[in-house]
Amino acid sequence: MPEDKVIRIVMAIGVVFSLIYIFFFRLWIGPPNQHMLKNTKYAVGIVTSGYYTERGRSGNDFKFMYDGGDIIEAKANKELTKGRKYLVAFDSVDIKNGFIILEKYDITDSLIQHKILPKYIMYSDTWSLVDIPFQYDKSEIEYDLKRAYEQE
């Protein structure tokens, strides 16, 4: 068997397995549920696309890294600014319980001010509510998270 054909077969198998992994992984993470509010941690979400409308859906793409070290890529039906960083709430015990991007908390400037830099490309820092290093009212963040959860 020629070497080119073997390489193509291996690449095709890799692509198929990658698509299966992405498809099933994405299905595991459902919409935010009540359990998310009990074990909430916060991370830096980076908006990776401008606002768009596509096949009846609209919003922005964003990604964040959670405690497991994995990067989650998702869509938010919100009007966010491409390249800006926002606070993302997620379940620290089980990411399958969901996550919410909090568009009210654009933390781009705060990250610079507090010298919180990304490791490689993504921010790996996560915080509990009391440990968030930015100058926001913690009770207001908690209230906004509950309000955003009810709207999801």
Side-chain angles (χ1 to χ4, degrees):
M1 187 179 293
E3 189 176 321
D4 281 349
K5 195 170 188 178
V6 171
I7 291 173
R8 281 191 227 153
I9 291 171
V10 170
M11 287 178 57
I13 290 171
V15 168
V16 168
F17 280 116
S18 296
L19 291 174
I20 289 171
Y21 172 77
I22 290 169
F23 178 73
F24 283 113
F25 184 71
R26 294 296 294 234
L27 287 181
W28 288 342
I29 301 175
N33 64 34
Q34 191 72 20
H35 298 292
M36 188 200 96
L37 299 175
K38 294 178 184 172
N39 306 305
T40 307
K41 272 195 148 180
Y42 298 85
V44 178
I46 302 172
V47 179
T48 59
S49 76
Y51 188 82
Y52 63 87
T53 301
E54 173 183 282
R55 292 186 222 141
R57 295 178 64 187
S58 57
N60 300 86
D61 295 329
F62 72 96
K63 60 184 177 180
F64 71 97
M65 183 182 288
Y66 72 97
D67 283 340
D70 292 321
I71 296 174
I72 305 295
E73 295 186 38
K75 296 183 186 308
N77 189 15
K78 304 172 192 282
E79 292 189 40
L80 306 170
T81 305
K82 181 180 179 181
R84 301 294 288 181
K85 288 119 183 127
Y86 295 85
L87 209 54
V88 176
F90 66 95
D91 187 329
S92 64
V93 174
D94 189 356
I95 192 69
K96 294 181 222 173
N97 290 330
F99 53 85
I100 297 173
I101 188 165
L102 301 169
E103 74 270 16
K104 181 177 175 182
Y105 299 97
D106 181 339
I107 59 173
T108 308
D109 297 331
S110 297
L111 290 166
I112 295 167
Q113 178 184 1
H114 291 278
K115 296 179 176 68
I116 300 172
L117 303 172
K119 290 184 173 69
Y120 306 106
I121 297 173
M122 294 296 299
Y123 290 85
S124 60
D125 299 84
T126 59
W127 309 279
S128 63
L129 182 62
V130 296
D131 294 332
I132 294 174
F134 314 123
Q135 302 302 317
Y136 292 110
D137 182 355
K138 308 299 192 240
S139 61
E140 190 174 334
I141 292 173
E142 189 173 35
Y143 173 78
D144 289 337
L145 173 61
K146 288 178 183 173
R147 202 173 86 229
Y149 167 75
E150 291 168 359
Q151 292 174 355
E152 288 284 327

